[in-house]
Amino acid sequence: MALPHAQLLDIVDVSPLGDQLVEARSTSLIKTRRVQLLHLVLGAHEDQPAHRVADECIVHCLEGRVELTYPGGVRPLQAGQLVVLPAGQVHGLRARGRCAVLVTLLLQDGDAGDHGGQRALDTLPDPDQEP
């Protein structure tokens, strides 16, 4: 059975998971032709490899602590903080402990552009497949 994406006007809960964070998995919450929301769950000291997307993107730490890495440095984020990346910025994520991050991607006809977003998404479970 496919895991459904939320639809436009659906309410999506991104509240802290607390004790459930240990069992949580990364998922794509919603995807339209122009926007995708990813709920990334990273284990302690887990990295998301460096990649880039064509448009600006938003990385919002929902729970725990994560570092946004890029060629010019590191931006540490804790719960409740976000950063907007410039278009085309090479970046990665490094969890300092178990954490949850909401990533908002602006899409061009369903893709994050230049296949940078697709390579980044290849590390996530397919939202249309059972776990």
Side-chain angles (χ1 to χ4, degrees), residues 34-71:
R34 292 291 302 142
V35 70
Q36 183 169 17
L37 295 178
L38 303 171
H39 186 260
L40 301 181
V41 177
L42 301 171
H45 308 291
E46 183 178 345
D47 290 348
Q48 184 187 44
H51 59 280
R52 77 176 81 224
V53 293
D55 273 316
E56 291 91 356
C57 70
I58 301 166
V59 177
H60 181 174
C61 182
L62 300 173
E63 197 166 2
R65 294 182 310 128
V66 67
E67 292 177 345
L68 174 86
T69 61
Y70 61 103

Side-chain angles (χ1 to χ4, degrees), residues 9-20:
L9 296 176
D10 284 354
I11 295 172
V12 178
D13 188 358
V14 292
S15 300
L17 298 172
D19 294 339
Q20 296 174 357

Side-chain angles (χ1 to χ4, degrees), residues 42 65-69 74-77 92-96 99:
L42 301 171
R65 294 182 310 128
V66 67
E67 292 177 345
L68 174 86
T69 61
V74 174
R75 291 283 190 260
L77 298 171
L93 296 175
R94 182 171 50 219
R96 302 320 292 155
C99 64

